[in-house]
Amino acid sequence: MIKIVLTALNARYTHSAIGLRYLYANLKELKELTVINEFEINGKISDMAEKILKSNPEIIGISVYIWNASEVQKLIALLKKVSPTTIIVLGGPEASHLPHRVNFDLADYIVQGEGEETFYHLCSAILSNKLPSERIIKATIPDVSKLEFPYKYYTEHDIQNRVIYVEASRGCPFTCEFCLSSIDKAVRKFNVDQFLSEMEILWERGTRKFKFVDRTFNLDIKTTTKIMDFFLEKTPPYLLHFEMIPEYFPESLKEKIKMFPPASLQLEVGIQTLNAETGENISRKLNFKKIKENLHFLETETNAHLHVDLIIGLPGETVESFGANLNLLASLTSSEIQLGVLKKLSGTDISRHDVKFGMIYSDEPPYDILQNNLISFNEMQKMKRFARFWDITYNSGNFNKTIKFLWNKNEIFRSFYNFSEWLYSETESTWQISLNRMSELLFNYLTEVLKLDKKEIADTIVEDLLKIYGRRIPAFLKEYASFVPDIKKRELQNINKRQLKHL
């Protein structure tokens, strides 16, 4: 008999909810009464409710994040209409921090913080008809050495079709004001030998794509290198994703990173800003010398696929200074540069800048900035489109050579800004632009607006597109392209498809 349903609305089908599996793993004797149901946010709310209520549970635990908060609100409303006596418990980052900007009033209980132990005690009390009087329950921070690992509860279907999330530590020692991770400054590490035993089991079951959710994976170099050694002994293909701080790459770590083969290692390196004054505003300490040195090392001496990031709309950052950041960062690395838009998350300290910098944010998830006293609403809209078009052209890996024709005297920001403005005037959309359509738009801009040679541009686009096995030359290019390049076409595997496109 099922009495507890754990559920999450994931952003994509390929994602999996490690948090649900942690809760399940630590439910002790209640595990046999519990199931996990995962959905995509684009699914029908009524279908989700039907599946959740099929087993007539007494308790429904829902994991709430910034990307699913609105859908969770709708799901709760429907569940309570159909089954008003079922107890609904919310947890996760979006439920843990006040104020709630999505109305969760219909939920019976909210667990704030890491809920493995607290959720178990709450469920035990509810099933014993000893309902807690407090609706909002602050979780006790668990001793990670006493938690049961969740990895055995990834199913064979998960392993074959989804990203497998893992963690070797929790917490972050840094104080970046826009980030929820800065709230939990105490870094707690799992026993690395026990953790690697779990990774070995996942490997034997066929897992080849491991995404580490540790906020600062290179904080403890001894642990970091031990985990890297574990994977270096394995036979590719595989893909590891680590988030690292850019200032700290000691020689022992550099030597390990250099050993990984192409498309096997993805590093997310948080930059946020290269403007010292802006960094100080958000309590982000910057060591420019180390950042430049380490990016140069990663770029020139390793096979690592990099994601570096900049944030649009930080307090004190103008469009011009953001553009200078982008120009500088693009000169330091040819990797993906992820352009995020500042979000105001409950629980963070970013709100302290609201008055001084006139920060105005959306009331709807993801609570992104609308304007401030340095960037108008109209200009912020343009920058958001800039970020989207940058991702589907520069970051996608589909136009690695063609995109460079946009740059005018290395003024990357202004050149792409002009392209972004033109692109939106042609499409009036930033979504559902096919690869063939984007190829044509890029061709038209380069040849009609920038007046570049049609044959040269056509040949370059063809070369970019045919890196991937099975692609055909778009019909409009056949008139101009002089040849089909004799290059090796790769049939890319799902575990590292994006990374291989950047080689």
Side-chain angles (χ1 to χ4, degrees):
M1 176 182 293
I2 299 301
K3 297 198 173 190
I4 305 169
V5 172
L6 299 174
T7 191
L9 282 62
N10 298 327
R12 297 180 181 178
Y13 173 77
T14 54
H15 294 180
S16 58
I18 188 175
L20 295 188
R21 288 162 178 81
Y22 262 112
L23 293 178
Y24 182 87
N26 291 279
L27 277 175
K28 302 179 182 179
E29 77 280 359
L30 300 182
K31 266 191 287 197
E32 63 185 22
L33 306 176
T34 305
V35 295
I36 293 175
N37 291 159
E38 289 181 274
F39 306 97
E40 295 174 70
I41 57 171
N42 295 326
K44 289 184 64 175
I45 298 295
S46 57
D47 291 344
M48 299 177 199
E50 179 186 13
K51 183 172 182 179
I52 291 169
L53 294 173
K54 188 174 183 179
S55 55
N56 196 29
E58 294 184 35
I59 302 169
I60 301 171
I62 307 178
S63 186
V64 193
Y65 291 83
I66 192 171
W67 63 78
N68 68 15
S70 297
E71 289 77 11
V72 167
Q73 180 189 33
K74 296 172 186 176
L75 177 61
I76 295 170
L78 181 53
L79 290 169
K80 279 297 186 182
K81 275 194 173 185
V82 176
S83 184
T85 61
T86 302
I87 300 295
I88 294 179
V89 182
L90 302 185
E94 192 64 13
S96 290
H97 302 286
L98 299 176
H100 290 151
R101 284 171 286 172
V102 172
N103 190 336
F104 297 135
D105 288 350
L106 292 178
D108 297 281
Y109 295 100
I110 293 173
V111 175
Q112 295 180 317
E114 298 172 28
E116 288 94 346
E117 295 176 351
T118 301
F119 184 71
Y120 164 71
H121 292 304
L122 175 60
C123 289
S124 297
I126 293 171
L127 295 176
S128 301
N129 293 317
K130 298 176 182 177
L131 301 183
S133 57
E134 294 293 325
R135 176 175 176 267
I136 297 180
I137 302 169
K138 189 168 183 62
T140 55
I141 297 178
D143 180 348
V144 295
S145 68
K146 296 180 180 178
L147 291 178
E148 181 180 339
F149 286 112
Y151 306 115
K152 70 177 71 172
Y153 304 111
Y154 284 115
T155 65
E156 298 308 312
H157 180 81
D158 295 332
I159 288 171
Q160 293 300 318
N161 298 281
R162 291 180 165 145
V163 177
I164 300 302
Y165 294 90
V166 300
E167 62 174 354
S169 66
R170 290 184 181 180
C172 180
F174 300 102
T175 57
C176 305
E177 294 180 6
F178 54 84
C179 182
L180 282 174
S181 297
S182 66
I183 297 172
D184 185 8
K185 297 178 179 60
V187 177
R188 292 156 291 139
K189 296 177 289 185
F190 292 86
N191 181 288
V192 67
D193 294 319
Q194 294 175 3
F195 172 77
L196 290 177
S197 294
E198 295 289 324
M199 296 304 98
E200 181 64 37
I201 295 171
L202 280 176
W203 182 273
E204 291 299 323
R205 293 176 64 196
T207 304
R208 293 297 182 268
K209 194 170 186 176
F210 298 80
K211 186 165 186 176
F212 283 70
V213 298
D214 307 54
R215 307 314 299 170
T216 47
F217 185 73
N218 57 335
L219 189 66
D220 181 343
I221 296 302
K222 183 178 179 180
T223 298
T224 301
T225 55
K226 191 166 187 175
I227 291 172
M228 286 186 164
D229 282 337
F230 170 84
F231 287 104
L232 284 168
E233 293 176 357
K234 304 299 183 185
T235 302
Y238 55 78
L239 179 63
L240 312 176
H241 179 113
F242 301 129
E243 183 170 340
M244 295 191 175
I245 51 175
E247 292 90 341
Y248 189 49
F249 282 79
E251 288 303 317
S252 59
L253 177 58
K254 288 181 178 180
E255 290 304 313
K256 296 299 179 187
I257 293 175
K258 286 160 65 173
M259 296 170 68
F260 281 92
S264 65
L265 185 62
Q266 179 167 299
L267 303 182
E268 186 173 335
V269 182
I271 304 294
Q272 290 90 46
T273 182
L274 290 170
N275 183 301
E277 184 178 347
T278 303
E280 186 174 342
N281 287 341
I282 59 172
S283 302
R284 168 72 169 93
K285 295 180 180 179
L286 297 168
N287 185 328
F288 294 106
K289 183 175 182 290
K290 283 294 184 183
I291 290 173
K292 291 178 182 179
E293 285 179 1
N294 292 329
L295 285 180
H296 180 74
F297 158 74
L298 292 169
E299 181 79 12
T300 61
E301 298 185 46
T302 80
N303 294 309
H305 177 78
L306 304 184
H307 283 184
V308 296
D309 71 322
L310 292 173
I311 297 178
I312 298 166
L314 291 172
E317 188 97 277
T318 64
V319 169
E320 290 72 23
S321 64
F322 175 85
N325 289 338
L326 181 59
N327 287 340
L328 177 56
L329 194 54
S331 74
L332 297 174
T333 176
S334 60
S335 66
E336 293 189 42
I337 302 176
Q338 309 232 322
L339 306 181
V341 177
L342 179 64
K343 300 168 180 59
K344 184 180 182 179
L345 305 180
S346 293
T348 65
D349 293 331
I350 198 70
S351 60
R352 75 183 183 90
H353 301 287
D354 287 0
V355 175
K356 180 178 179 180
F357 291 100
M359 311 289 279
I360 298 176
Y361 299 88
S362 171
D363 292 328
E364 303 293 327
Y367 318 118
D368 53 322
I369 190 164
L370 300 174
Q371 66 181 41
N372 58 33
N373 62 2
L374 296 174
I375 305 177
S376 68
F377 173 70
N378 181 61
E379 195 62 38
M380 196 72 77
Q381 287 289 101
K382 292 180 179 181
M383 291 303 297
K384 290 176 182 179
R385 291 193 288 269
F386 181 107
R388 172 60 183 163
F389 289 139
W390 178 271
D391 195 50
I392 60 180
T393 55
Y394 186 92
N395 283 342
S396 68
N398 289 321
F399 303 103
N400 283 350
K401 294 187 176 181
T402 309
I403 201 74
K404 295 175 183 177
F405 285 96
L406 288 174
W407 314 147
N408 178 24
K409 297 179 181 179
N410 293 322
E411 177 48 63
I412 291 176
F413 170 73
R414 188 52 58 183
S415 298
F416 197 87
Y417 184 95
N418 293 338
F419 174 58
S420 175
E421 288 288 278
W422 178 88
L423 201 52
Y424 188 68
S425 71
E426 294 291 307
T427 62
E428 295 187 344
S429 174
T430 59
W431 298 93
Q432 296 181 326
I433 302 173
S434 70
L435 181 61
N436 279 2
R437 173 66 171 145
M438 183 55 74
S439 300
E440 186 173 9
L441 288 164
L442 192 53
F443 177 82
N444 290 343
Y445 182 79
L446 291 170
T447 59
E448 296 174 10
V449 178
L450 298 188
K451 307 298 183 183
L452 299 180
D453 181 73
K454 292 183 177 181
K455 173 181 172 296
E456 183 179 16
I457 299 303
D459 286 345
T460 307
I461 293 176
V462 167
E463 186 176 356
D464 273 336
L465 294 180
L466 292 188
K467 287 186 301 184
I468 308 303
Y469 177 81
R471 282 181 177 170
R472 296 183 178 180
I473 301 176
F476 79 92
L477 283 176
K478 293 179 179 179
E479 178 182 349
Y480 307 104
S482 63
F483 70 110
V484 176
D486 184 19
I487 60 175
K488 184 178 180 181
K489 305 178 183 67
R490 294 184 298 264
E491 188 166 8
L492 305 186
Q493 302 184 46
N494 286 333
I495 59 172
N496 56 8
K497 182 176 181 179
R498 185 166 183 138
Q499 292 72 30
L500 281 169
K501 285 195 292 185
H502 284 270
L503 292 181

